[in-house]
Amino acid sequence: MGAGEPKPFGLHLPDYPWDALVPYRETASRHPGGVVDLSIGTPVDPTPELIQAALATAADAHGYPTTHGTPALREAISTWFARRRGVPGLDPADILPTVGSKELVAWLPLLLGLGEGDVVVRPSVAYPTYDVGAHLAGATAVAADSLADLPADVRARVRLVWINSPGNPTGEVLDVEGLRTIVEDARSLGAVVASDECYGELGWGRWDPAEGGEPVPSVLDPRVCGGSHENLLAVYSLSKQSNLAGYRAAFTAGDPVIIANLVNSRKHAGMIVPYPVQEAMRVALGDDAHVAAQKDLYRRRRALLVPALEAAGFTIGGSVAGLYLWASNGKPTWDTIDWLAGLGILAGPGTFYGDAGEGFIRMALTGSDERIRAAVTRLADAPR
């Protein structure tokens, strides 16, 4: 920018990564059987009728909704935490609904007052919005799976630590001991731990209670946090467990002081979940049957895709929870994306999730049964 030229308007953010898939989508779309899109991971199954009914019943929403959420919604969230996440006695005052979880991830560093010189730590392979949030606040994002691995000068500046368990894209789960280690180390630094737990109901194998496993633990679990939620936030979304991606229905809970500050800031900024959506959330969180039914669909789709990928020469890494298979065939990421597009299959490039994702692709379970079967057939018929 030359002298005297006005500063351009707008935020200076990286290009949206998914735009890079456009030419591969065009290739996949030319397949005679149509594209099998297993890339972004948007839910494809219907929103349960009882949730649609709750939304419709609350449609006469002529007054402004409350930023903090209705008492009935926060009570439902507290009850859900005790019943499904092993977190008893959560004070409804320490709960805040959000407009989906992505907006909270993106804006949390700014809302926490972070800025230049502060460090935001995120997993080495991670959802890119963690980095975007640090950028928006003017803080520095650092990739690390253990705070102990950080140099002393970086550790001293850590103000926020993101946990993502079950992880996107890797599908890895931190057990109670792993979570407790991160919490204790972060607390020794005076840092906030924000735990993105939106795949918490989607554990497989060891983490699948329906198959004799144990529930995925929450950062607010007393075994993890010692009974204190100080400097801790759990973040959850109903997009995956209840097919509510289009509703933008999520919430965070934890440290009373931080939640109160977030509520106040969001009041000023008008960051409010619409009342009909709050009612839909309340009803959704009180019904476990639809969650189990949706998980059964994903379980069956996963049971088809895993052996199909392995027979096609892929190794599945992690993927013990969540909606994705993290896979590698030993070739560069974009070569594999191109090969799959030639089969009419669109997957997510591992490089979207950091440098450590090179060589991997992420394949979502969010295809209809018919599309999943089509992918399985195409992988089986593909030339080796």
Side-chain angles (χ1 to χ4, degrees):
M1 186 171 65
E5 292 183 19
K7 180 181 177 181
F9 292 106
L11 298 173
H12 301 287
L13 297 173
D15 291 337
Y16 190 60
W18 292 99
D19 292 343
L21 272 185
V22 169
Y24 301 93
R25 183 182 300 278
E26 292 173 351
T27 297
S29 297
R30 290 195 291 269
H31 190 279
V35 64
V36 178
D37 189 350
L38 305 179
S39 59
I40 292 181
T42 187
V44 298
D45 300 304
T47 300
E49 290 288 346
L50 82 163
I51 301 175
Q52 294 187 47
L55 185 79
T57 299
D60 183 16
H62 47 271
Y64 289 113
T66 59
T67 303
H68 197 180
T70 66
L73 171 58
R74 288 184 280 116
E75 286 283 357
I77 294 171
S78 174
T79 300
W80 174 85
F81 262 109
R83 187 178 75 251
R84 304 297 300 178
R85 306 294 287 135
V87 182
L90 181 61
D91 190 334
D94 303 338
I95 295 169
L96 168 68
T98 63
V99 190
S101 60
K102 186 173 184 176
E103 65 92 343
L104 182 71
V105 171
W107 294 110
L108 184 61
L110 183 66
L111 292 174
L112 290 176
L114 274 57
E116 185 176 355
D118 294 327
V119 167
V120 175
V121 178
R122 53 85 165 170
S124 59
V125 180
Y127 185 48
T129 309
Y130 302 133
D131 285 352
V132 170
H135 183 92
L136 287 170
T140 300
V142 173
D145 294 318
S146 171
L147 295 176
D149 295 337
L150 298 175
D153 62 321
V154 176
R155 279 178 58 88
R157 296 187 290 122
V158 173
R159 297 283 287 156
L160 173 62
V161 180
W162 277 107
I163 296 173
N164 183 206
S165 176
N168 172 19
T170 65
E172 295 179 346
V173 172
L174 290 167
D175 60 15
V176 168
E177 182 179 354
L179 288 171
R180 185 169 57 240
T181 296
I182 294 173
V183 167
E184 290 175 352
D185 203 356
R187 281 175 166 169
S188 74
L189 302 174
V192 171
V193 176
S195 180
D196 183 348
E197 303 176 356
C198 70
Y199 301 98
E201 288 275 13
L202 292 169
W204 313 114
R206 172 190 171 185
W207 302 109
D208 189 353
E211 301 290 340
E214 60 183 294
V216 172
S218 169
V219 75
L220 301 183
D221 188 312
R223 298 172 297 168
V224 172
C225 66
S228 169
H229 296 164
E230 181 181 4
N231 278 10
L232 302 181
L233 294 174
V235 179
Y236 198 79
S237 166
L238 276 69
S239 294
K240 310 305 188 293
Q241 74 164 46
S242 300
N243 292 331
L244 290 187
Y247 285 49
R248 310 315 300 135
F251 51 86
T252 186
D255 186 306
V257 175
I258 294 175
I259 292 292
N261 185 269
L262 291 176
V263 170
N264 184 60
S265 297
R266 293 170 71 91
K267 284 179 179 178
H268 283 290
M271 301 167 81
I272 312 171
V273 177
Y275 174 72
V277 175
Q278 293 193 35
E279 276 296 281
M281 290 173 66
R282 179 185 64 78
V283 170
L285 289 165
D287 179 74
D288 295 337
H290 79 274
V291 179
Q294 184 61 47
K295 185 172 180 178
D296 283 343
L297 288 177
Y298 288 136
R299 186 185 289 106
R300 292 197 295 269
R301 292 165 185 169
R302 183 177 184 274
L304 292 173
L305 270 179
V306 168
L309 282 169
E310 291 176 337
F314 286 84
T315 299
I316 309 295
S319 306
V320 297
L323 285 179
Y324 311 107
L325 300 177
W326 185 238
S328 174
N329 61 0
K331 298 177 181 178
T333 288
W334 287 102
D335 288 356
T336 305
I337 293 293
D338 185 59
W339 180 76
L340 288 168
L343 301 179
I345 300 171
L346 200 64
T351 50
F352 282 4
Y353 304 94
D355 294 341
E358 169 55 43
F360 287 86
I361 57 100
R362 191 197 75 171
M363 192 167 286
L365 305 178
T366 52
S368 67
D369 290 347
E370 183 275 330
R371 290 288 82 186
I372 294 292
R373 287 193 296 267
V376 169
T377 299
R378 295 176 194 184
L379 288 167
D381 293 343
R384 300 291 183 264

